[in-house]
Amino acid sequence: MDKPGVSSDFFVIKALEDGVQVIGLTRGNDTRFHHSEKLDQGEIMIAQFTEHTSAVKVRGKALIQTSHGEIENK
């Protein structure tokens, strides 16, 4: 069952090194940081966009998998 304002698509971020930062950015007139996580090598984060999160910034070497394909951040 889908919730209003929440995307049913998930994306996966796999850290390829220690200290990968995943930062959630808000929706609205002013884009702001609202959440961050730090992943170590081999850790995986499964996430989705919500009514509060419009973008995600990944800093560090990571593999990002979406329904649109796979991207390696070097």
Side-chain angles (χ1 to χ4, degrees), residues 1-73:
M1 179 195 278
D2 288 339
K3 292 182 181 180
V6 177
S7 169
S8 61
D9 281 342
F10 289 85
F11 56 96
V12 176
I13 301 164
K14 180 179 180 182
L16 300 177
E17 66 182 0
D18 287 346
V20 171
Q21 292 181 338
V22 181
I23 303 162
L25 302 163
T26 62
R27 291 190 184 278
N29 294 333
D30 296 325
T31 301
R32 298 186 179 159
F33 297 121
H34 76 82
H35 185 82
S36 68
E37 293 286 334
K38 192 170 274 193
L39 303 176
D40 286 331
Q41 185 172 0
E43 289 186 320
I44 294 171
M45 181 175 183
I46 301 169
Q48 68 186 142
F49 293 105
T50 67
E51 61 185 303
H52 300 293
T53 304
S54 65
V56 173
K57 181 177 184 177
V58 178
R59 189 177 288 156
K61 191 172 180 183
L63 180 65
I64 300 120
Q65 297 174 318
T66 73
S67 61
H68 302 285
E70 194 172 275
I71 302 164
E72 188 172 333
N73 190 20

